[in-house]
Structures are given as C-alpha cells and as structure tokens.
Amino acid sequence: MTSTPASPPSTLTPGGSQRSLSFARIPPSQHVVTTVPLTVTPASAGTASPSSSSWSPTPTSSQRSAATSAQSSPEGPRGRLQPQSSSPPSLKLPEATMAVKSTPTPSAMSEAVAMTKGPGLIRRISRGAANKLTRRRTSTSNANSRDNSSGPVLMRRRSDSKGGVENGGGPVGFNNDDNDEDAIDEANGMIDMNGIGEAIGLSSKGPTSGIRDGGIAPLIPTILKQGTLLTKVTKKRRRNLKFLLDIDSAKVIWDASKPSTKRFYIDDLREIRKGADAQNYREEFGVPAEYQNRWFTIIYADQERSKGRPFKTMHLIASNDYVFELWTTTLENISKYRSDIMAGLAGSGDRSIKAHWRREMDKLFGAIPHAEEEEKMNLEGVEKLCRNLHINCTKNLIRAQFANADTDNTGYLKYEHFKNFVTRLKERKDIKEIYRAVVRDHRVGLDLGEFLEFLRGTQGIDVDSEREHWEKTFEKAIRKFRPKGQTQPNAEDPSSLRMHFEAFSTFLSSNSNSAMMTWRPQTVLDKPLNEYFISSSHNTYLLGRQVVGESSPEAYIEALQRGCRCVEVDCWDGADGQPMVTHGRTGTTKVLFSDCIAVIGKYAFVSSPYPLIISLEVHCNAEQQVIMADILKTVLGERLLLEPLMTNTCSLPSPEELKNRILIKVKAPGEEGTEESAHSTEITGRQHRSLSSPFSRPVILDNSVISSPPLVSSPAPSSPPEWSSSFWETGRGSVTAGTGTSVSSVTDDSDTNPATPVSLQKEKKKARSKIVRPLGDLGVYTRGQKYRGFSLNESRSTNHVFSFAERTFDNLCKDPDLKAQLEKHNVRCLMRVYPSATRITSSNFDPNKFWRRGVHMVATNWQTYDLGTQINNAMFAAGIDRTGYVLKPKELRKTKYGAELNNGVSAARMKKDKKLLKFSVEMISAQQLPRLRSMGSDESIHPYIELEVFCADDKARGVASGKGGMDASARNGMSGIGSPHRRRTKIVYGNGYNPTYNDNFTVSLETKFPSLVFVRWTVWNSADGRNYGNTNAPLATYTAKLDSLRQGYRHLPLFDMSGEQFLFSTLFCRIKKEEALSLECHDARSAKVGTLKQFGRSVFNRTLSIEKRRSKEDVS
C-alpha cells in the first residue's frame, strides 16, 4: 500500500480554511490506493447520537480514542443504528411514475367526513385521501431493479450554485445532437480525485481503467466506497452516520442493514447546495455559521412521492473540508457522466457506444490482464446490457439483430460487431422513407436547395427570413457526420455540400427541429400588463398536499425555474416575532418568511427577465407586517418597485418596461382610526381561519346548492389524474371574526357573494383594510381590491386586482350581465383566480374556463402534474411564451362595445364569432418507451397512443369531430369544457422500443377561442396486448397548445406524471394545420354559393325544357 505525500489532516477546526486540492490523471496501468488518516469511529459510532443543545457534529473524544484508520478495515466501520420512527404511508405514484387510478372504491372524501371529529381530524383526512389513491408500496424487488441501470431515463431539472438553470428549466428543448459527442468530450475533462479510487461503473474488484479509448470516467475515491462519517441533520435530531457510495448500483447508502430504503440513486440527484446556497437550511435547523463551509444539502427526486412531494432534501455536515470536497465533487461528476453517456447513446455518436462497451468489459475482466481481442459478449450479456440501457424491445428482436451483427457466426460479438448491433437496433426505417422521398439521388445526398425546399414545403418554415440560420444548420449537420480524415469542403461553394441519411435523421430529432415554435430575440413584450396571460402559482410554498403537506423554499425555486411569474406567499404570525409562511390552520409545516423572500429574490429572473409578482396573503399583526415590509425592501433591494414608473398615464406599464422588477400584490392600507362596519356578517367561533383553508365555516347565502366544479371526463378509471371531485360545499361569502374584523380584508382572497345585490352593498359602511401602510404601499400596480361590484369607481382604477376562488368566479358567470361586465373589466384591469379550498389533494381546474374570460393570473397547484398543470405548462411552453407572459387573443384585449358596459350590457351583444379549425396528426412511430416498474424482465410493452383535443367552449354537440383511428370520445357526442375529443391508435403488440402506427387523425373544431385549443398525447400500455380495457396503465404524456405546434415531421418529447422529461422517449408524427376560418364568413359564402347554384339549376333546367320542346317541334 502506498499513500499520497500530502494527506489531509485528521481534524480541522470548524472555521478552518478549506484545503486546496490538486487533480491529475494517472496512467491507466497505475492503481493507487491511498491510506487517508481520517479518523472514523468503530462499531459504536454508528449509534444515533442524541440531539443536544451543544452543537458538535464531529465524533467525541471517546470515539476518537477508539478510532482506526479507514484503510485498516476494508469493510469500513459497520455502525449499529437505532431504529428510526416509521414514516407515514407514502403517496406512491404507480409504475413509470404515471398516475394510475385504482379500481373504483368508496370515496375517500366520504370516509373522511364519516371520521369522528376531534384532535387530528385534518391529518387523518389528508392521510385517508392519500391512502385511498393507492394502497401499494414499492416492493424491494422493484426498487432493486434499478441497481443494474446504466444511467438515467429522465432529464432532471438542475440549477447551478448561482441560480442558473442548467437544462433550461422548461418543459421542452431536448437536443439529441448536441448531447452525444460533445457530452463525452466534456466527460473526458472530468477530474481525477488525486488518482484515488476507481472509475465509475467498474466492479469494486477491478483497478481503475485510467485513460482508455472511448473516454475516461470520473474516478471514485476508495474512501467513499468504504464509507465516511457524515452528520445527518433533521428538525428532530442530528446523527453521525456512515455514508458509503455503491459504485455498481450508483447509489448512496447510509444504513447497510437497509440498503433498499436508506438510500438514494445518483440518477435521481437534482442538485447539491452548499455554501451560501444552503444557508437558509442551516439557519432553519439552528446550526452555527462556523459549519457553513462543511454543510451541503442534497436534493433528489422522490420516486414514491410521499405526502405528494416530488423531491426530498437531505442535510449533511462533513467532518472536515476534505471529506466535504470528496462527496460534493464526486456525486456531481458521477451524475453528469451517467446522464451524458445515456444522452450520447440516444444520439448518433460512437463514443457513447465505446464507453458502454468499455464499462462492460471492465466489469467482466476486472483486474485480470487480457488482450483486446479477448473482449467479447454473448447473447445473454447483450440482452442484459439492453435492459440496463432501457432498450425495451422483445428478445426476438434482440436475437435477430444479434444474428445479423454476428457475421462470423461465433455466437459472440466483439466491439466492431457490437457497434454494428447498436447501429442496426437504432435504425429508423420510418425516417429513411422520408429521406428517399425528399432527396433526388440518395447515393449522392441532399443538397442545400433540396434541404431548404423540404423546410419550406413540408415543415412550413419561412426559410427566406432566416436563410443564413438554416444554411448554418445544414453545414453543422454535415460537419458532424463527416468521416475522419475527409477534407473540408469548399465553404464558398454550398453546392458541394451533401447531407446524407445519418445527418438528416439526426436533424429531425434535434432541437433545431423541435415541435415547439422558437423565440426570436427581436420579439418584445410592449403591450400593457393587462393584455397578457401571466404564469401563476397557487400556494407556491407547498411541496405536496394542501392540508398536511410540507412548506419549503424549494417549492419557489422549482416554480421560478419553470418560468412562473406570479408566486403566492401566505404570511402568519411567528412565535418569535418573525413572520412565517404556511397554509393557515392546517397541518402543513412552517418556514420563515425571510427565507422564502431570499430564495425568491435569488431565483426571480433565472428563467425570465420579465416582471415577477409576489402575491401576499397577509394574516399577520401590525408589528410583523412592518417586519415583512422591511424584509421585502432589504432583500429585494432596487428590484422592488416602490413607485409608479410614470404618473401621467392611466394605463399599466408593459412587461418590457418592468423588466427585472418585482411587484408586490397586497391589499391597500387602511386609514388610521377608522372603525369596522357594525353590519359585517359574523360567524360563531372564537378563531377565524384562512379563507384559503378548507376549514373555514361556511356561510349560508341562500337555500340553493352551489354546484361542483365541472369534471373532465376520463376514458377509463385508469386514466391519468385530472380533476378531483369537490369536498365540502363551502360558501365563500363575506365573513368576519367574532371581533367584527373582516377576515377578507387582510387576505388575498375575494369572498364576496356575487348574489348579494350591489344596492345592498352600498348600504353597508365601506370596510377598511387592516394592512399597515408600510406594507400596503408596496402594492403599486398590483393592489388587491375587495370585490363589491364592477360598476363602482374602485373597480375602474387600473392598478387594482380582483381575486376570486373558482366557485365564486363560476357563480359570477352564471349571470349573463355580470359575466359581460367581468369580461369588460379584464380588458383594462387585472384579475386572479385560484383553486377551491376543497381541493385538499392539490388537484387543479381547467385553466381554459378562466382564460376564455380574460383572467390574467390563473393560479394552479404546480406541485400536482395533472391535466390542469399540463395545460398550464403548454400555455407557457413555446418561444416567447416561455418568459411567463402570453399575449391574449385580440378579442380579449380589445372591445367594440363602448362605455355602455360600465352600466351592464346584454350578453347577446358580447357574443363572439366562431371559427373553424382543422388540423391533422399522422402518428408514425414511437421511440424507446418507458417500462412499468412492476413489469418482469420477460414481459413486453403493448403500447397505443391516445390523442385528446381540449377547447375553451361550453360543452355541446358538434363542437369537435374527427376521422382516423378509433373514436374514444363521449358517446353522446358532446365536446367542450370537461369533455375532450379523443381518438386512439391501434395497439402494437410486444414492442415498446420502436412501435410503428401510421395512423392519421383529422380533427375539425368549431370554437370561439382558437388560441385556447390544446392537444394531449398519452401513451398507454394494453394489459393483454389486445384490448383498450380499464386495467391499462399510462406510460408517458405530452401536452401542447395547437398554436405553438410547428408543422411537418416532429419528435414530441414525453414526460412522466411528475412532469419530468424522459431522456430518449419520443413520439414521431407529422402535423398539418389549416388557417382558421370564420364561420360567419363561411356561412355567408356558402349561402351566396347556394343561391348561385339554385339560380344556375333553374336556368339550366329551363334551357333543357326549351331544347326539348324545340326538338319535339322539329320532329313533328
């Protein structure tokens, strides 16, 4: 054994300077095992250390006295850990992380109501609802099936330490051609940790592979494989545990006796926070600042989605700076390397194939010296490797391609044969047909003129306006596939360039040919703020359910990275004088208001430079409101808008004028000394509740029953989660506490009963807000206003915002005149709508219901990836829309009805013209569809694709019709809100790798809102390969706004039901769209043509009769 000359010190003071590390590559034949004199504890050290007031994450002196060198025990110290308290049953998403509804059972809500009311009711209701969604827990066999995976199947949204988004943070933007060769080149530049350890993917028995052909993997410190002590910090306790890195299965384990539960997979890693980026967590847990340099927070995806959370956080403290650097750097390098080689395999480069081959050979031979000619793989090894690479095709296909690649008939594949095998497996016959139809001579290749004509005629691209861009794209594709040693073609002679099939195929699957429209830099958002739809979130701080969920600043980071431009902060009094953020009067956890604002300030503009709106729901007393105002001003600084940009205008500024500014949405401050109205409605009980809480006592407005929100129909009980049924029928009228203080006056919510006549409201004394002036004055352009009627003067100021719960909004729209006034209001002023308090599982409504009325901020529960979130994401997914601002259609921005709307107008005069939309989708094929986690290795996928069309029109017959495939729409022929038009492809038996469909769907749609039409593709797995039964499970989904889709041949990315994009699963289709046709003009033309035809027939018939009469006279 040898040791490095500069080993790290055994202990470092908490505030000690970080040791500088030097990294260098070592020759491939050299195997260095370094003895690191890092003190670790013997068996007793694994015992959970009790939480104490004196903070010391390092081993005690008694533990140090018995410590041994890590090298002295190859197994490492094995700790005996105290059993942890069992966690509540997890809310597990079914296989492939897609939500599958179970067999119909009695409603969880009915069981919840039947529970005995008493302490813990809220928590029991929430758990009961969660347990009803699924009773199954992940089996150990399913969890361990990931141990052999060669890399991730999902694109994880990651952010760097400066808040920048690595993957773009958006729902689209896959780029296969940029992620194969370049990815491996970057991997070659990864650091070696002083030559300590082994390359990732190697067996623990073998030496490091060093630098070999095909790329070098990051080297793994041996000390991490043996295990090091880290202090795991939670709110309840702090424990010194041994963390070890399992190389073969790419996971981190902190309890060797429970490797299937006390672990996380590196492929689930989203981010490692350290230093100032993790400061809010360190302060939240009361850890002194002297440990900040050794504190790191690991954020990883939660496959079980316990309590509805999409991810988990783990907080750790290293014993010294050296161990801190080992863990953080190694985990980040492994995660990036595994992702890059999988992305490279999905592309067309050979280096990823070489890297996978090299890893398999290193596992096979280990430290045994061998010649390269001895490296080979039999059929069984190839089948296993295909499973590890997530190539989900039948064994028959693998065997057939294996036989074709085994040209020597030896029963083995060497590297060149293996490369041929992978190339054959990835061959795209569907694209080859397109290529042959486009090129004149496929032996010569596609020239520039043919390529541009293909873009212009087939893909529907305006080539002439961006000719230079497409010429560069053409040259880049050719350069990428030029054989080594080939001379550079004459750049001044474009006619000498030729695009062959490989380059053409890669172009079609690249980001240059993405399904979504792109954003051009010259696009500006220069219309007033009220002319845009704004991407908005409800209860943004929650990671999961509404009643017993977790509040965390991470939820704000997630939303802001995804382009949200209006986040919500619910503020309540903190016990220590510091305001807290939580869902009031529920079982949700609390987080400091200052932490939330700090995170919002840091990530406010990582995905969009356009203004961010912070919607405050304030329940704090006057003193803590002042603290809130100070925090906002201090943390946000100059970005916080404190006064109007211009005072001589009556219109709102544009997003362009408000770039990089933060707006506060808060109620206006009240006048000093003003008493509340004695006529305010009162409720019994001592404590008022948050009006966004489902446990506000209902106010009986009348004897009528408030209707439930409309439900979006589902093809079968196993369809993806869409809409949740209503819970308590809670009236949301004006309510006050027993003290006479208006609850709604200090909240963000609007709770006015729309059935209350305006004349009655005028009789009441105007209630004053309880927001203090330092806080209320921050509402410059977004000042919350209590709704009392659209005809009042306060409803005409341009800087006010009305907020409505979905049910209150629905009740308003039942009155035709009020609905017309509401739409008129939304032309000039802002409005926000949020989900009903009955949606305790964080389900969502259909945003189209509110966008069609011109509502600007339709706030949804982003933590739930149901249909409502999918449609909301699609609205803000393409081009300039990704900034979080979408220009409303012209009919919702301008009005031709004049000022008479201020006093009411007949609904007939507000009738919008209908348009006829026609489009077609040719479903050609799918690529590398994901498997269900419960499936055995011998089971096959039987996929079919379902296409759904959602519009914003009221449900009626004849709204939508279609041809092709199987019609799976409602039997009564109704389409519209809550009832999409639905069609299905055939079922492809036993092929989830490259199923071919060639089904052509044609859809016709009559709609008043052509810009609010959305299309969703869902990939389903037929249980028996023959039927579209109720037991079928969804595999993946993709939703797009029809306006945003580009025509031509496109690859559609696919997402799991957590909203994570699959790395290489796509749908290949051809999209054609026709220009929208006004039905009034169409009917007028049809009527005119019909009149001419009738006139022509009469003239023609009269001519015939005259000719017949003459012929008879001639005969006679």
Side-chain angles (χ1 to χ4, degrees), residues 38 40 223-224 226-230 241-244 323 327:
L38 172 67
V40 296
I223 189 70
L224 299 187
Q226 295 176 344
T228 68
L229 278 180
L230 297 174
L241 301 174
K242 188 183 76 169
F243 281 71
L244 59 90
V323 174
W327 275 108

Side-chain angles (χ1 to χ4, degrees), residues 635-875:
V635 175
L636 303 181
E638 296 181 352
R639 294 173 299 174
L640 180 63
L641 190 69
L642 298 177
E643 57 186 18
L645 301 180
M646 299 179 63
T647 56
N648 58 347
T649 179
C650 58
S651 64
L652 291 173
S654 69
E656 203 72 33
E657 295 171 319
L658 292 170
K659 262 188 174 180
N660 297 308
R661 303 303 295 270
I662 297 177
L663 283 62
I664 303 298
K665 177 183 173 296
V666 64
K667 291 288 181 70
E671 296 181 7
E672 296 180 0
T674 302
E675 295 181 359
E676 296 297 331
S677 170
H679 301 284
S680 298
T681 307
E682 294 185 357
I683 63 173
T684 59
R686 298 181 179 179
Q687 293 182 338
H688 69 269
R689 301 183 184 276
S690 166
L691 290 174
S692 62
S693 167
F695 305 102
S696 300
R697 186 179 297 276
V699 177
I700 305 303
L701 306 176
D702 52 34
N703 294 327
S704 62
V705 179
I706 300 176
S707 60
S708 301
L711 306 179
V712 173
S713 62
S714 175
S718 58
S719 64
E722 295 179 342
W723 316 116
S724 192
S725 58
S726 300
F727 198 10
W728 291 292
E729 301 293 339
T730 307
R732 298 185 65 82
S734 177
V735 294
T736 62
T739 60
T741 302
S742 172
V743 175
S744 59
S745 66
V746 294
T747 66
D748 177 66
D749 304 333
S750 171
D751 305 284
T752 299
N753 175 20
T756 304
V758 175
S759 59
L760 181 60
Q761 295 179 19
K762 290 181 179 179
E763 294 177 1
K764 298 180 181 181
K765 187 175 180 180
K766 187 175 180 181
R768 296 295 181 181
S769 170
K770 287 300 181 181
I771 299 296
V772 299
R773 185 164 297 280
L775 183 61
D777 284 346
L778 299 181
V780 180
Y781 290 120
T782 50
R783 176 164 294 181
Q785 177 66 51
K786 177 75 174 180
Y787 168 75
R788 296 176 178 85
F790 292 111
S791 60
L792 302 180
N793 288 332
E794 62 189 20
S795 300
R796 302 178 187 178
S797 61
T798 56
N799 68 333
H800 81 274
V801 182
F802 283 149
S803 287
F804 294 108
E806 58 176 300
R807 289 190 177 180
T808 305
F809 185 93
D810 289 341
N811 288 333
L812 276 174
C813 292
K814 289 178 181 177
D815 186 308
D817 289 336
L818 281 178
K819 180 176 70 174
Q821 293 180 48
L822 181 147
E823 292 179 354
K824 171 67 176 179
H825 168 274
N826 290 343
V827 172
R828 294 184 63 252
C829 306
L830 297 176
M831 182 176 289
R832 178 177 178 266
V833 174
Y834 55 90
S836 170
T838 62
R839 298 183 180 273
I840 61 174
T841 57
S842 298
S843 63
N844 285 297
F845 44 55
D846 186 345
N848 263 339
K849 287 176 53 182
F850 312 104
W851 285 330
R852 66 177 179 170
R853 306 299 178 204
V855 177
H856 311 80
M857 293 170 279
V858 179
T860 57
N861 293 312
W862 284 39
Q863 62 271 38
T864 305
Y865 193 69
D866 57 8
L867 180 59
T869 298
Q870 292 167 27
I871 291 178
N872 187 76
N873 287 354
M875 168 64 86

Side-chain angles (χ1 to χ4, degrees), residues 544-560:
R545 302 192 296 270
Q546 298 288 312
V547 180
V548 188
E550 181 179 348
S551 305
S552 173
E554 292 295 332
Y556 289 102
I557 297 175
E558 177 83 1
L560 293 171

Side-chain angles (χ1 to χ4, degrees), residues 10 146 234 408 445 481 486 510 565 714 779 813 920 988 993:
S10 58
R146 299 186 60 190
T234 64
D408 299 333
F481 288 91
Q486 180 175 323
S510 71
R565 294 291 85 196
S714 175
C813 292
S920 65
V988 176
Y993 179 68

